[in-house]
Amino acid sequence: MPGQAVESQVILVVGGGIAGITAAVEAAETGYDVVLLEKTASLGGRVAQLNRYFPKLCHPTCGLEINFQRLRGNARIKVFTMATLAGLSGARGRYKASVAVSPRHVNANCTACGDCAKASQTQVPNPFNYGMDKVSAAYLPHPMAYPMRYVVAPQVIGTPEADAIRAACKYGAIDLDEQPKTFELAVGAVIWAVGWQPYDAGKIQSYGYGRVANVITNVEMERLASPGGPTQGRIVRLSDGREAKRVALIQCAGSRDYNHLAYCSRICCLGSLKHAAYLREQYADAQVDIYYIDIRAHDKLESFYRKIKADPQVRFIKSKPASISAGENSDPILHGEDTLTRELYDRPYDLIVLATGMEPSAHGVTPALKLSTDDYGFVVPEIDEEAGIFAAGVAAGPLDVSMSVQSATAATLRAIRAVRTNGAAAHKGQA
Amino acid sequence: MMQATQERKTGVYLCGGCGIAEAVKLDTLEAVASKEYKVPTCRRHEFLCSDDGVKMIKADVAAGSVNQVVIGACSPRVNAERFQFDDTQVIRANLREQVAWCQPPGTDDTAMLAADQMRMAITEARKSSLPARHEGGPYSERILVVGGGVSGLTAAREAALSGHDVVLVEQSDQLGGHARRWSKRMPQRPPYAAPQDNDIDGLIAAVEADPRIELRRNCRVVKTAGGPGKFAITLSQDGAEHEVAIGAVVVATGWRPYDPNKLGHLGYGVSPDVVTSLALEDMLAKGSLKRNSDSRPAQNVAFVQCAGSRDPNHLPYCSSICCGVSIKQALQIREADPDSSVYVLYEELRTPGVAEEFYRAAQRAGVIFVKGSVKGVGADLTVTIDDALLGEEVPLAGLDLVVLATGMVPNSAGMIDGAQEQPAVPAADIDPMSPIAVAGYAAAPPPAPPRPPATQISVAGVPLLNLQYRQGPHLPILADGFADSHFICFPYETRRSGIYTCGPVRRPMDMAESAEDATGAVLKAIQAIRSVSEGRGLHPRSGDLSFPKIGLNTCTKCRRCSVECPFGAIDESPEGFPVVNASRCRRCGTCMGACPVRTISFDNYSVDMLTSMIKAVEVPDEDEEKPRVLVLACQNDAYPALDMAGIGRARMNAYVRTIPVRCMGSVSMLCISEAMSSGYDGVLLMGCKSGDDYQCHFVKGSAMAQERLAKVGETLKSMALEKERVQNIEVSIADAHKLPKILDDYLAVIDRIGLSPLKGFG
Amino acid sequence: MRTIAAAPAGSRTYDLNFARWVYQNVDGGDRLSLCMQCGMCSGSCPIGTAMDHGPRKLFMMIRAGMKEAVLTSDTIWNCTQCYNCVVRCPRQIPVTNILQGLATVAVREGYAPEQPTAKFAKAFWFSVKHFGRTDERLVTAFFYFSFGLVEGIKRGLANLPIALRMIKAGRMHLGAPHRAKGAADLRAIIAKAEEIEKRERAQGAQQ
């Protein structure tokens, strides 16, 4: 590109979820150096926390394993976990990125042997299971964590327990004095793949999340159904351990709603169809009711909808439920109007699952990133090749996994072009 | 560098950390290496992956005393980046996850397992070498784009901007495809509420002006030979044929509207004023919305959604764009004529993502949305709707125009002008109509809906690229007619290396998504060119330098390798010998598993290597009553699951000996017979899920293994062995928690039928 | 389970004129077009069982042009204006205002002559307009006798025990209705408001 010397060809990928991982490996396999930043202790993002994918009901860890193999074998990729982008200055081809790293208190010596966990008594909420269970204060984020390295929770730092944890490690891997630090990197282009967070279901006041027992969210359902989850994959009620056989799945819990998320989150319908399959797989006598406005099983995914719809034990009720109240035996009661029959229902369930939507992770993008966002917080699809900064995945809109991968692959091409020394003319276009 | 011709200098390095030294005596393991195998260099370290440990290995490599490293420590899935040494083959013996972490420390069985792990690893080292890369140049960097619609134009432009020469082939005389017909397009910019200008002309102009893009209109691909990096593609244009050298191909052949003549039940044909979305688009583009019948202005318009789509008798899938298109057109009609009445008749309104605002914009503009099914359309255009929300049938009368929102049919094969539609092309591996095939669906699975006759989901016409491959000229398609792609995790991966599909030929999508998809496909194309020109394998074994070599002197020309290759990488010479196209190869080893005379091998992976590893295990005599069971585990799913069982400190059966394999497809039945004749009591194949919702990364590896296994019964019978001794189970990567029981149950079967009578003969 | 059986009488063809009229003329009607028929309003209604259609279906009937069925529906009268639906509506439609607006239309166009809530509203309005407050006896008498003389006496007698107890408890007094302070000013304000409304409606009709 004319007038701009490319001083660094390194591509900085911010966010280690499926979009960020994809961007990193695709760029590296095309011959470019990549620095991948991940805010949490392990790569994988939201997909690592999913039990299975729709429509094949296969395991996200299967694809992640391949991606981790690609990462492991590729010397071009440098991964920093517990790291965020604190600042960015400069221009395409010569950005200075300032990276903030929070303390993990475990250094690269860690072999993941687990002796530290044995020395820890304090139990802290397990972030991987959305706090539905607890882990030792020295813990491995999850069995497929990448990097395979423990974390010491900040809760015990400064206590005698922390010293015991340090003493238990034979490899000198515990660093209790680690401080937050910042370092600078020279990079040529940035891929912004910071992903999403589940919408806070507590904000949907009438659904009683957090107030009424046995009302959970869809992401919690994923952990509940997962063998690595708080119940080892048994879909039971956390209140009393009872099997959840009568289950209501509530679509658009927050999405398509001016009071919450005005857009449609795209994935929740398919997610709930998948939850119906989990329940029917686990309990022969499960009765699943899906409450919906429109079932948005776009393209090929329609066949998944048709499969689930053919199951007589899964009912589809066109209704946006009005409220949830607490009933007897900790059964939540769902209230609303069935719009096709005009029936006003008050139905008790064992478990009610709110299909909450996706909210873009970074509300308000770092100004230095030169990306503009729409009112929802998604990066506007105006591609500015001259800036060399590109959004990928859910940062750019509510996408499913496959679309996030597409988006990340496209962003990778743009980023590569931005750091090519013999680059072609820049052009501004639209995604 | 350790090459086949060089002297092999193996060094064995044992780690005592992470509980390994507590679980087994390192002395015994060292003895296996130095005494049994006479390995000259054998060292140990209490913390091998530390800087100090790695330095120790590096020093030996640098000194030239070691050119092949065997590491007895943790799983190969961890610390791969630590244990990397220049030009040196590294082999890992998993003593941690699959020994120390899942066996009781200090027992004889644990010691035997660890010793066998070392024997297998050292044997693997002896039977393999650092792969020499495939040299097959020269390679072309040029990219062929097939199709001149939004996807193809975008692909061509993106590739050219990225510094690649492009040949863009369009079969008609005009660029732009369907997009050229759109008067406006759906909004992509906030507030996502109004139809947006169609910028296709700008894109066409940019492509036409790009000196890197060689534009060929009225042109078709008539023949494709070669492979990634070196495709030889014959184009036919104006009656003449040209051959071009191409590095990678982007297929962007798009879609065609579903044939409205099949939609008589929705009124197509009853009146000239029942039209398709595209016909309406033409009217909107002309700026005159008039009835075909009497040229009166069309003021009252109803859109019938899902005209053909979501209908098992027509298109089983949702065409994705029709809701947005109708909303766009409705808004245009409302804007042009404030007195117009516009209805959208839908069953499920699908405006995913930010398009929800577009839906609201139409509502705001007074478009009436009616949920229900259309029961019929009369000659006077009265549409009868079973209004689901009112709960009654309501006629919609006084309409001037009824618009059928017809769906997308993928152009996954080319049309021959005037030719009859042809029967379906084969290789439909996924059945979108099949019932849920989830392992263990507790109740009987719901009944499958009636499957449409094959003709309705078939792709008619000539092969798009006319591949000169042993496996046929077509690009594989899925049962719904769309081009095959690994549609969740790796959407660009097809079964034909170096050929990437994008846009609506792959999945129904709108213009914006098509452009994004095309951009991604170009990245994959560039990456493929770069990888193959360096001799590296493509996804999923990206970067793998090994490739299959066939010893033609022993080849029997049985053709199993060329038939079974999931990627069509092996052709046949006129004499009937297999010819490997290394750049098409994905390195799964299915050919190796298929070969009955074990004459196909990789530098670092062969039947000889596997059988030698199998035989390296010390099988106790019958009177010791310690069974031995061989587990051949898929490296990508079952093996990580076994690791994770260890990470979870599950107690695993100590009689199991595990060898990771690239894919179940690479397992030769000779491995099984070797194992049985060596006195193993059984063999368990642990592969991925096969069938409609297959999870095999190489598409049909586990299906192949099952098929081959069906024939092993005869072999076992001839050896006087029970057929239960050899079993195949499907294991997913998330099944770590099930593995201890799976293995124990299997050992219980062995226990029941008794130890193998063949012990001691091996 | 509470099921409401009533359906609007008879099918008719879709007619957008009524819907458009409502969008333009009923308070809050401009947002009504955004209704996506999710059922949140009807499901949230505490007295949903006492409504023949509920707001959600009523809105669909408006779109279908069922003017008579809409304006004779008890849904518009039985709304207690708790605003549950308004707070929860995902499209932020002022459901309560619209129902109220439709009630006004129904009265104006004579669709609600026998509607008890309409009668009560008139009685209430009479009292407020003339006395600046509600007088229990005045409102009930006005309301009861709007059903006719015989019915009025019957209803009055039926509620006599309650009236007596209220008097005993000091919740109702005998004698002339109290007039609120400034009632005359209020009347003037109301008269002005009515005049403005009349003028605006006349202008609206011209447009």
Side-chain angles (χ1 to χ4, degrees):
Chain A
M1 301 186 192
Q4 281 213 10
V6 171
E7 289 166 9
S8 169
Q9 284 194 281
V10 173
I11 296 168
L12 177 68
V13 180
V14 186
I18 192 66
I21 292 172
T22 300
V25 292
E26 296 298 351
E29 287 175 10
T30 313
Y32 290 82
D33 290 330
V34 178
V35 172
L36 176 57
L37 305 184
E38 163 57 35
K39 185 174 64 177
T40 71
S42 164
L43 299 184
R46 298 284 164 196
V47 300
Q49 287 175 287
L50 300 178
N51 179 35
R52 306 209 207 147
Y53 279 148
F54 57 77
K56 284 171 79 170
L57 298 173
C58 50
H59 299 275
T61 38
C62 169
L64 270 185
E65 172 73 15
I66 293 290
N67 278 322
F68 289 165
Q69 282 178 15
R70 294 165 77 187
L71 273 171
R72 272 197 291 271
N74 205 314
R76 288 191 179 278
I77 306 171
K78 215 165 160 37
V79 177
F80 293 95
T81 49
M82 319 279 296
T84 54
L85 182 63
L88 188 73
S89 61
R92 183 186 60 78
R94 42 197 166 80
Y95 279 114
K96 284 274 168 293
S98 150
V99 177
V101 182
S102 5
R104 175 195 275 268
H105 298 297
V106 177
N107 65 29
N109 278 356
C110 176
T111 65
C113 71
D115 287 348
C116 53
K118 284 183 207 146
S120 158
Q121 286 93 46
T122 302
Q123 297 276 299
V124 298
N126 182 359
F128 192 65
N129 287 336
Y130 295 102
M132 288 188 286
D133 63 354
K134 293 190 165 182
V135 283
S136 298
Y139 64 96
L140 189 64
H142 59 94
M144 254 190 75
Y146 187 103
M148 186 84 166
R149 197 190 295 178
Y150 275 64
V151 188
V152 177
Q155 289 95 318
V156 295
I157 298 300
T159 67
E161 184 177 341
D163 296 328
I165 288 170
R166 177 168 51 193
C169 180
K170 296 189 197 83
Y171 309 108
I174 308 292
D175 178 1
L176 298 176
D177 303 324
E178 188 184 357
Q179 296 299 318
K181 62 169 187 268
T182 303
F183 62 90
E184 295 236 312
L185 279 175
V187 300
V190 180
I191 294 176
W192 184 248
V194 292
W196 59 283
Q197 67 215 15
Y199 184 68
D200 177 3
K203 289 183 184 165
I204 314 165
Q205 203 266 344
S206 70
Y207 285 173
Y209 177 81
R211 220 172 51 239
V212 178
N214 300 315
V215 176
I216 64 169
T217 65
N218 48 1
V219 290
E220 289 171 337
M221 179 65 162
E222 287 295 325
R223 297 313 306 147
L224 211 50
S226 169
T231 56
Q232 293 75 50
R234 291 173 54 244
I235 304 174
V236 296
R237 312 191 329 165
L238 292 176
S239 72
D240 53 13
R242 208 172 80 199
E243 293 177 334
K245 292 185 173 179
R246 293 172 307 161
V247 178
L249 310 174
I250 314 301
Q251 299 315 113
C252 302
S255 301
R256 298 182 70 186
D257 190 333
Y258 273 134
N259 303 311
H260 302 282
L261 306 173
Y263 51 87
C264 159
S265 293
R266 192 189 301 266
I267 60 163
C268 337
C269 282
L270 282 311
S272 290
L273 293 172
K274 188 175 64 165
H275 293 169
Y278 292 170
L279 286 156
R280 293 286 291 110
E281 183 186 323
Q282 208 160 106
Y283 304 120
D285 55 345
Q287 174 63 52
V288 184
D289 291 346
I290 300 181
Y291 291 83
Y292 70 99
I293 305 173
D294 294 285
I295 293 289
R296 293 189 163 168
H298 48 95
D299 59 62
K300 296 160 165 302
L301 301 168
E302 172 72 15
S303 61
F304 186 50
Y305 174 30
R306 195 173 22 242
K307 282 176 196 170
I308 302 295
K309 215 175 170 182
D311 186 334
Q313 282 164 252
V314 180
R315 284 196 298 178
F316 286 81
I317 297 160
K318 185 178 154 45
S319 167
K320 182 175 172 68
S323 58
I324 297 170
S325 62
E328 285 173 17
N329 306 317
S330 302
D331 287 354
I333 300 174
L334 189 69
H335 309 279
E337 183 208 23
D338 182 331
T339 63
L340 300 186
T341 63
R342 257 299 273 142
E343 177 196 336
L344 293 169
Y345 55 80
D346 308 281
R347 296 190 186 121
Y349 286 97
D350 296 335
L351 187 68
I352 295 180
V353 184
L354 306 178
T356 50
M358 295 193 280
E359 197 173 22
S361 262
H363 259 310
V365 168
T366 315
L369 276 180
K370 301 178 190 172
L371 295 171
S372 56
T373 54
D374 60 22
D375 289 347
Y376 313 131
F378 295 116
V379 175
V380 173
E382 299 283 350
I383 307 299
D384 182 357
E385 298 237 342
E386 196 41 57
I389 304 174
F390 310 97
V394 180
L399 306 176
D400 65 16
V401 169
S402 154
M403 293 172 88
S404 293
V405 172
Q406 273 172 262
S407 161
T409 312
T412 304
L413 181 70
R414 298 183 184 116
I416 282 173
R417 200 151 59 214
V419 298
R420 287 177 72 232
T421 41
N422 54 345
H427 78 304
K428 292 196 177 196
Q430 200 181 338
Chain B
M1 192 200 307
M2 230 306 296
Q3 297 256 313
T5 49
Q6 278 184 300
E7 191 198 345
R8 190 184 301 274
K9 292 182 208 161
T10 308
V12 170
Y13 301 87
L14 296 167
C15 180
C18 292
I20 296 171
E22 288 79 28
V24 286
K25 287 201 180 76
L26 294 190
D27 290 344
T28 8
L29 300 185
E30 200 173 322
V32 169
S34 54
K35 299 222 169 73
E36 279 182 41
Y37 287 86
K38 312 276 185 257
V39 175
T41 309
C42 189
R43 300 184 201 279
R44 59 171 95 166
H45 197 281
E46 60 188 10
F47 182 14
L48 191 61
C49 62
S50 63
D51 290 346
D52 189 51
V54 171
K55 213 194 287 171
M56 174 180 86
I57 305 172
K58 273 189 174 152
D60 286 347
V61 173
S65 55
V66 165
N67 59 13
Q68 193 186 37
V69 171
V70 175
I71 288 178
C74 42
S75 164
R77 292 177 61 255
V78 288
N79 282 329
E81 61 288 343
R82 296 290 285 158
F83 298 129
Q84 240 169 25
F85 312 99
D86 292 343
D87 295 330
T88 304
Q89 193 188 10
V90 177
I91 284 156
R92 307 281 295 269
N94 189 339
L95 298 179
R96 188 175 79 162
E97 283 83 347
Q98 295 189 18
V99 181
W101 284 2
C102 64
Q103 300 296 335
T107 67
D108 287 351
D109 284 338
T110 304
M112 284 191 262
L113 172 59
D116 281 342
Q117 295 286 68
M118 290 315 299
R119 290 184 186 107
M120 288 192 282
I122 297 167
T123 307
E124 179 182 349
R126 296 213 162 154
K127 291 291 183 179
S128 69
S129 58
L130 201 64
R133 75 179 63 218
H134 180 260
E135 307 284 354
Y139 296 101
S140 167
E141 295 216 336
R142 196 185 292 145
I143 293 173
L144 172 73
V145 177
V146 185
V150 168
S151 316
L153 291 168
T154 308
R157 180 85 173 127
E158 290 287 331
L161 284 169
S162 305
H164 286 255
D165 288 337
V166 176
V167 178
L168 175 60
V169 168
E170 163 57 41
Q171 72 169 9
S172 78
D173 59 355
Q174 270 180 316
L175 297 177
H178 294 292
R180 213 167 31 81
R181 293 171 74 176
W182 300 121
S183 51
K184 295 257 183 183
R185 56 182 294 191
M186 290 180 262
Q188 303 307 318
R189 298 187 199 106
Y192 314 106
Q196 201 170 295
D197 285 342
N198 183 354
D199 36 14
I200 187 74
D201 289 339
L203 182 57
I204 292 173
V207 166
E208 284 175 333
D210 198 316
R212 280 195 184 275
I213 301 174
E214 179 185 328
L215 201 49
R216 289 181 176 268
R217 297 184 180 85
N218 295 315
C219 181
R220 283 199 178 120
V221 176
V222 291
K223 208 161 76 179
T224 299
K230 44 199 306 183
F231 285 112
I233 295 182
T234 312
L235 305 174
S236 163
Q237 188 182 24
D238 305 325
E241 293 198 349
H242 320 261
E243 196 180 297
V244 285
I246 293 292
V249 181
V250 174
V251 173
T253 46
W255 61 286
R256 57 183 181 273
Y258 188 62
D259 181 0
N261 292 308
K262 293 175 182 165
L263 301 174
H265 63 294
L266 296 177
Y268 196 80
V270 302
S271 157
D273 297 324
V274 178
V275 301
T276 65
S277 304
L278 274 174
L280 175 67
E281 198 61 40
D282 291 341
M283 294 183 200
L284 291 168
K286 272 187 278 174
S288 96
L289 196 60
K290 291 204 178 85
R291 289 156 59 98
N292 287 327
S293 58
D294 54 14
S295 299
R296 275 201 296 124
Q299 209 168 28
N300 302 317
V301 183
F303 291 87
V304 178
Q305 296 309 109
C306 300
S309 302
R310 300 180 60 247
D311 182 343
N313 295 313
H314 297 276
L315 305 173
Y317 48 85
C318 160
S319 293
S320 292
I321 66 158
C322 328
C323 283
V325 167
S326 293
I327 286 170
K328 178 193 79 81
Q329 294 177 333
L331 276 166
Q332 287 174 280
I333 295 170
R334 289 289 296 139
E335 197 191 344
D337 180 358
D339 294 328
S340 59
S341 292
V342 184
Y343 302 84
V344 175
L345 316 179
Y346 72 96
E347 285 181 7
E348 309 280 355
L349 202 88
R350 292 180 174 168
T351 47
V354 295
E356 182 71 6
E357 190 55 33
F358 202 35
Y359 171 26
R360 287 188 289 247
Q363 288 185 305
R364 242 181 232 115
V367 177
I368 299 291
F369 290 81
V370 178
K371 179 182 166 79
S373 51
V374 169
K375 293 289 154 196
V377 180
D380 66 345
L381 298 189
T382 297
V383 180
T384 308
I385 312 144
D386 191 355
D387 188 318
L389 296 162
L390 288 176
E392 59 181 315
E393 274 194 15
V394 190
L396 179 52
L399 292 170
D400 300 316
L401 211 55
V402 173
V403 183
L404 303 184
T406 46
M408 284 184 158
V409 180
N411 288 330
S412 43
M415 297 288 280
I416 314 170
D417 300 330
Q420 288 284 306
E421 293 215 339
Q422 292 179 357
V425 291
D429 279 7
I430 297 180
D431 177 3
M433 307 295 293
S434 74
I436 300 171
V438 190
Y441 204 88
R451 201 188 163 122
T455 48
Q456 285 167 357
I457 54 165
S458 74
V459 174
V462 294
L464 292 177
L465 300 176
N466 194 17
L467 297 169
Q468 305 296 295
Y469 287 13
R470 169 63 176 82
Q471 303 222 337
H474 279 282
L475 290 175
I477 60 162
L478 301 177
D480 56 11
F482 287 88
D484 168 54
S485 108
H486 184 305
F487 55 85
I488 306 174
C489 293
F490 307 105
Y492 291 109
E493 304 305 338
T494 70
R495 273 177 260 173
R496 295 294 175 264
S497 308
I499 300 172
Y500 300 95
T501 58
C502 66
V505 71
R506 199 165 76 67
R507 178 158 64 76
M509 52 178 95
D510 64 18
M511 283 168 68
E513 208 195 323
S514 297
E516 188 81 348
D517 200 30
T519 307
V522 167
L523 184 273
K524 295 302 295 185
I526 292 172
Q527 188 186 69
I529 292 168
R530 190 173 172 123
S531 295
V532 299
S533 58
E534 291 170 0
R536 292 190 279 123
L538 304 179
H539 177 94
R541 294 183 61 85
S542 337
D544 188 354
L545 291 174
S546 73
F547 62 96
K549 295 175 178 171
I550 303 184
L552 293 184
N553 45 348
T554 45
C555 172
T556 60
K557 300 198 274 191
C558 74
R559 303 182 181 201
R560 281 185 206 159
C561 56
S562 51
V563 169
E564 290 184 10
C565 173
F567 305 100
I570 304 178
D571 294 331
E572 283 150 23
S573 69
E575 299 77 36
F577 283 112
V579 179
V580 175
N581 293 273
S583 71
R584 287 186 214 159
C585 172
R586 306 280 185 90
R587 282 71 173 164
C588 61
T590 297
C591 50
M592 178 180 126
C595 181
V597 293
R598 62 175 89 181
T599 189
I600 303 180
S601 54
F602 298 77
D603 286 346
N604 55 358
Y605 191 61
S606 63
V607 178
D608 181 31
M609 179 191 103
L610 291 175
T611 51
S612 302
M613 287 167 75
I614 290 167
K615 287 192 281 193
V617 167
E618 280 202 348
V619 178
D621 290 338
E622 202 173 351
D623 52 11
E624 285 182 53
E625 293 188 349
K626 286 186 187 297
R628 284 292 176 265
V629 160
L630 176 68
V631 170
L632 295 167
C634 164
Q635 206 175 59
N636 304 304
D637 292 78
Y639 194 81
L642 285 162
D643 264 10
M644 280 186 276
I647 292 168
R649 306 301 197 273
R651 177 68 60 85
M652 304 293 274
N653 196 294
Y655 300 140
V656 170
R657 299 295 178 263
T658 304
I659 297 178
V661 294
R662 289 185 178 189
C663 173
M664 274 306 119
S666 71
V667 173
S668 165
M669 291 305 108
L670 293 166
C671 296
I672 294 171
S673 49
E674 286 285 358
M676 297 316 294
S677 57
S678 307
Y680 281 84
D681 302 288
V683 179
L684 197 53
L685 301 189
M686 270 190 196
C688 306
K689 189 170 158 50
S690 58
D692 287 336
D693 285 332
Y694 72 85
Q695 292 171 17
C696 174
H697 290 284
F698 300 101
V699 186
K700 54 181 187 178
S702 48
M704 288 315 312
Q706 274 177 41
E707 207 176 304
R708 292 175 197 152
L709 211 53
K711 295 165 194 155
V712 160
E714 289 302 306
T715 317
L716 291 174
K717 215 163 137 191
S718 69
M719 296 166 93
L721 291 171
E722 299 78 0
K723 73 175 196 323
E724 299 97 301
R725 288 192 189 275
V726 179
Q727 288 185 22
N728 177 72
I729 56 160
E730 290 179 349
V731 168
S732 89
I733 191 164
D735 282 343
H737 60 296
K738 295 184 188 161
L739 286 172
K741 185 170 185 311
I742 287 172
L743 293 176
D744 287 345
D745 287 352
Y746 177 57
L747 264 296
V749 170
I750 299 298
D751 194 45
R752 183 167 48 74
I753 55 183
L755 294 184
S756 166
L758 299 182
K759 282 185 199 291
F761 294 95
Chain C
M1 186 196 292
R2 300 166 283 157
T3 306
I4 285 105
S11 280
R12 64 227 66 205
T13 184
Y14 291 93
D15 169 12
L16 267 184
N17 291 324
F18 179 56
R20 286 205 183 126
W21 186 89
V22 172
Y23 291 174
Q24 282 161 18
N25 294 286
V26 171
D27 183 22
D30 55 332
R31 274 195 89 87
L32 179 56
S33 62
L34 280 175
C35 172
M36 61 173 164
Q37 292 286 302
C38 67
M40 178 55 103
C41 49
S42 296
S44 296
C45 186
I47 51 146
T49 45
M51 287 179 171
D52 50 3
H53 303 304
R56 194 269 314 156
K57 187 171 179 189
L58 199 75
F59 294 168
M60 195 63 212
M61 289 158 64
I62 291 172
R63 289 179 183 174
M66 299 171 169
K67 179 178 177 182
E68 190 177 338
V70 169
L71 294 179
T72 55
S73 161
D74 67 15
T75 299
I76 56 182
W77 293 106
N78 290 353
C79 168
T80 60
Q81 302 183 19
C82 72
Y83 284 86
N84 250 350
C85 52
V86 178
V87 170
R88 292 180 188 166
C89 174
R91 293 286 174 88
Q92 292 178 345
I93 298 165
V95 181
T96 306
N97 301 21
I98 293 169
L99 294 182
Q100 230 176 314
L102 288 169
T104 312
V105 175
V107 171
R108 202 164 58 220
E109 300 199 5
Y111 281 95
E114 295 309 316
Q115 180 34 259
T117 321
K119 288 178 172 179
F120 184 84
K122 276 184 184 163
F124 179 89
W125 189 236
F126 177 84
S127 178
V128 169
K129 193 172 169 183
H130 291 281
F131 298 94
R133 64 187 300 166
T134 53
D135 181 273
E136 295 79 2
R137 292 158 306 148
L138 193 63
V139 173
T140 45
F142 194 112
F143 178 58
Y144 291 164
F145 286 101
S146 68
F147 292 93
L149 187 64
V150 180
E151 180 67 19
I153 292 168
K154 231 194 255 175
R155 289 187 181 221
L157 287 173
N159 285 296
L160 198 57
I162 298 174
L164 291 174
R165 266 181 308 198
M166 284 177 77
I167 292 167
K168 224 174 175 178
R171 311 301 301 171
M172 200 161 89
H173 77 283
L174 299 168
H178 291 304
R179 208 174 282 272
K181 211 199 263 179
D185 295 340
L186 178 68
R187 245 195 335 272
I189 292 169
I190 291 171
K192 185 71 187 170
E194 283 175 338
E195 186 196 318
I196 293 169
E197 194 190 2
K198 206 169 167 185
R199 192 170 62 225
E200 284 185 348
R201 191 167 305 126
Q203 281 169 355
Q206 276 169 15
Q207 277 168 3

